[in-house]
Structures are given as C-alpha cells and as structure tokens.
C-alpha cells in the first residue's frame, strides 16, 4: 500500500502564493522512479488535471496554470510540491496529489486533498 498526505492548503487573497506538499510513504522503494501529479476539484465541477512531473523531472501544466504554478519533487524526502503564485479566485478548489507510475509499474494512488481558497 501507498499513502499520500497533502498539506499546505489555506486561504489567501488573489495575487498571493501557496506551496502545497504531498508526502509519500508505504510500499515505495525507489521514489526517484515515480511520476506524480496534481489535480483539483472545485465545487460543482469535475476533478481536473493541473500538473505532472515525470521520473526524469519533465514537467507539464494545464494551460490555466502555466507560468504561475511550478511542480517539483524531492526524491530524498519522498515529497511532491506545487508552488502556486499569482493565485486567482478560480484556483479555489480541493487539490489532490496522485502517484501514477513508479518504474514500469502503473499505479493510481490519491491523497485525501487539501483545500485552497482564493478570495478577491
């Protein structure tokens, strides 16, 4: 089993910043081989993909966050991050981290989510 625990959410005014963390634990022996991502779900909307980082450090972003959010991974701490700058009210959502692959094995583990609220 794998456990993902997010933290770092909170309330911030538009234009502000937050940094989310997602700590992985459990049955992960080579975290550096893992690819992970962030998703978010706003009230009344479907969960949407935000960003992903591959095992070699390659990053991709949704158009809505490109240039404002930065995903990173600390392989020594088994931790995924999402630095969010220039936050907008439309960024308000519950943010979830996802582990989808380690080495050649495809997984689908999710954290419990952390709330981000951006006010105007």
């Amino acid at each position: 089993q794998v456990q993902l625990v997010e933290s770092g959410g909170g309330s911030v005014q538009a234009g502000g910043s937050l940094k989310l963390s997602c700590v992985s634990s459990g049955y992960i022996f080579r975290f550096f081989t893992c690819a992970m991502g962030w998703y978010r779900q706003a009230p009344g909307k479907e969960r949407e993909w935000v960003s992903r980082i591959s095992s070699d450090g390659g990053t991709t972003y949704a158009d809505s966050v490109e240039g404002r959010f930065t995903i990173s991974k600390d392989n020594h701490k088994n931790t995924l991050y999402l630095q969010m700058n220039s936050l907008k009210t439309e960024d308000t959502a519950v943010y979830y981290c996802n582990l989808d692959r380690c080495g050649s094995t495809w997984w689908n583990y999710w954290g419990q989510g952390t709330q981000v609220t951006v006010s105007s």
Side-chain angles (χ1 to χ4, degrees):
Q1 275 287 12
V2 172
Q3 294 80 42
L4 304 178
V5 179
E6 301 101 331
S7 63
S11 297
V12 64
Q13 288 192 324
S17 299
L18 284 173
K19 186 173 185 178
L20 306 183
S21 300
C22 172
V23 179
S24 305
S25 62
Y27 192 68
I28 300 179
F29 294 113
R30 299 187 301 169
F31 185 76
F32 66 93
T33 71
C34 297
M36 300 187 70
W38 288 98
Y39 291 72
R40 67 186 181 186
Q41 187 166 19
K45 296 187 177 181
E46 293 187 352
R47 189 173 298 189
E48 65 173 359
W49 171 75
V50 174
S51 180
R52 186 178 186 267
I53 185 167
S54 63
S55 58
D56 65 1
T59 59
T60 51
Y61 298 92
D63 289 343
S64 59
V65 306
E66 179 81 52
R68 299 188 298 121
F69 290 11
T70 303
I71 190 171
S72 62
K73 187 157 74 75
D74 186 330
N75 293 323
H76 296 290
K77 296 182 178 180
N78 283 17
T79 301
L80 175 73
Y81 300 101
L82 186 68
Q83 176 67 47
M84 305 186 294
N85 298 328
S86 302
L87 283 162
K88 305 176 180 180
T89 55
E90 52 263 44
D91 295 318
T92 295
V94 177
Y95 284 72
Y96 300 89
C97 64
N98 172 259
L99 188 154
D100 63 35
R101 182 174 182 175
C102 288
S104 60
T105 303
W106 288 94
W107 290 348
N108 188 27
Y109 289 102
W110 294 88
Q112 83 289 349
T114 185
Q115 176 71 47
V116 171
T117 302
V118 184
S119 59
S120 58

